[in-house]
């Protein structure tokens, strides 16, 4: 595809994963908050108004707003605008794998690549000394099903590393197709 200078309209898939994460908000202190489609579905089922969440168009890096990540719940299936101009391809592959996932996924969350890179790290938890503990997708795959589900529910970020659901999309079943 040819890169575009402005956002464009594209067909929007109506499938979504309960574990798919959307950008929720950033507090004044700079803390970023993310929510899952499941969280939004729960609010909707309780009769809470989700329109304000579904109207938001703000992105944080490669994590889109609810309307892009949870189109079925938001009722916006059909067409949707991309968040930003599309990226030009790199001239050649890099020689070594990278550990950064900031720009790994397309901005259009309906087109997310479901592969997991070997070097992909996610934020797991903070130890008693306050240090962030990072883990890799292969480590997560070796856990029990209940442990995987529990870890994939996290939306916390630390030191620029996202939660497992954003990094290990295949293991967490958080791919949006």
């Amino acid at each position: 595809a040819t890169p575009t200078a402005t956002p464009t309209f594209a067909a929007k898939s109506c499938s979504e994963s309960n574990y798919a994460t959307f950008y929720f908000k950033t507090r004044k202190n700079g803390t970023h908050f993310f929510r899952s489609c499941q969280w939004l579905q729960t609010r909707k089922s309780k009769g809470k108004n989700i329109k304000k969440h579904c109207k938001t168009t703000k992105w944080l890096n490669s994590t889109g707003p609810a309307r892009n990540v949870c189109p079925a719940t938001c009722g916006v299936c059909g067409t949707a605008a991309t968040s930003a101009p599309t990226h030009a391809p790199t001239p050649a592959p890099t020689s070594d794998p990278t550990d950064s996932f900031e720009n790994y996924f397309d901005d259009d969350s309906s087109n997310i690549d479901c592969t997991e890179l070997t070097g992909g790290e996610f934020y797991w938890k903070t130890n008693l000394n306050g240090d962030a503990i990072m883990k890799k997708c292969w480590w997560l795959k070796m856990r029990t099903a209940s442990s995987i589900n529990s870890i994939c529910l996290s939306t916390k970020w630390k030191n620029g590393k996202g939660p497992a659901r954003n990094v290990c999309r295949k293991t967490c079943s958080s791919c949006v197709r």
Side-chain angles (χ1 to χ4, degrees):
T2 305
T4 60
T6 59
T8 56
F9 284 90
K12 185 71 174 171
S13 169
C14 211
S15 64
E16 64 188 39
S17 166
N18 288 342
Y19 297 116
T21 305
F22 64 90
Y23 170 61
F24 184 61
K25 67 180 178 180
T26 301
R27 285 208 176 136
K28 289 180 182 178
N29 68 2
T31 303
H32 303 297
F33 287 88
F34 302 87
R35 297 287 186 254
S36 67
C37 293
Q38 187 174 33
W39 176 86
L40 197 60
Q41 292 161 6
T42 301
R43 291 187 63 77
K44 187 177 183 179
S45 70
K46 289 181 179 178
K48 302 219 179 201
N49 189 343
I50 64 167
K51 286 181 183 176
K52 69 178 180 180
H53 303 301
C54 292
K55 282 185 176 181
T56 301
T57 58
K58 293 180 183 175
W59 286 66
L60 182 67
N61 298 324
S62 62
T63 305
R67 67 179 298 110
N68 288 66
V69 178
C70 314
T73 303
C74 286
V76 294
C77 300
T79 60
T82 59
S83 66
T86 57
H87 306 289
T90 57
T94 57
S95 59
D96 296 317
T98 61
D99 282 336
S100 173
F101 276 86
E102 258 181 55
N103 296 312
Y104 177 66
F105 299 108
D106 287 340
D107 286 341
D108 180 358
S109 63
S110 68
N111 232 355
I112 292 175
D113 183 352
C114 199
T115 59
E116 298 176 346
L117 296 181
T118 305
E121 282 190 328
F122 65 91
Y123 167 64
W124 181 40
K125 65 181 182 179
T126 303
N127 67 18
L128 295 175
N129 295 330
D131 299 323
I133 300 174
M134 306 301 172
K135 294 290 183 182
K136 295 187 182 268
C137 295
W138 65 262
W139 175 89
L140 180 61
K141 287 179 193 175
M142 297 175 66
R143 310 279 62 94
T144 64
S146 64
S147 180
I148 290 171
N149 287 338
S150 175
I151 293 167
C152 290
L153 285 173
S154 174
T155 58
K156 296 179 181 175
W157 288 65
K158 186 94 171 198
N159 299 339
K161 298 286 185 179
R165 66 175 10 161
N166 287 34
V167 178
C168 308
R169 292 178 184 263
K170 187 173 182 180
T171 302
C172 288
S173 299
S174 57
C175 304
V176 178
R177 299 246 180 219

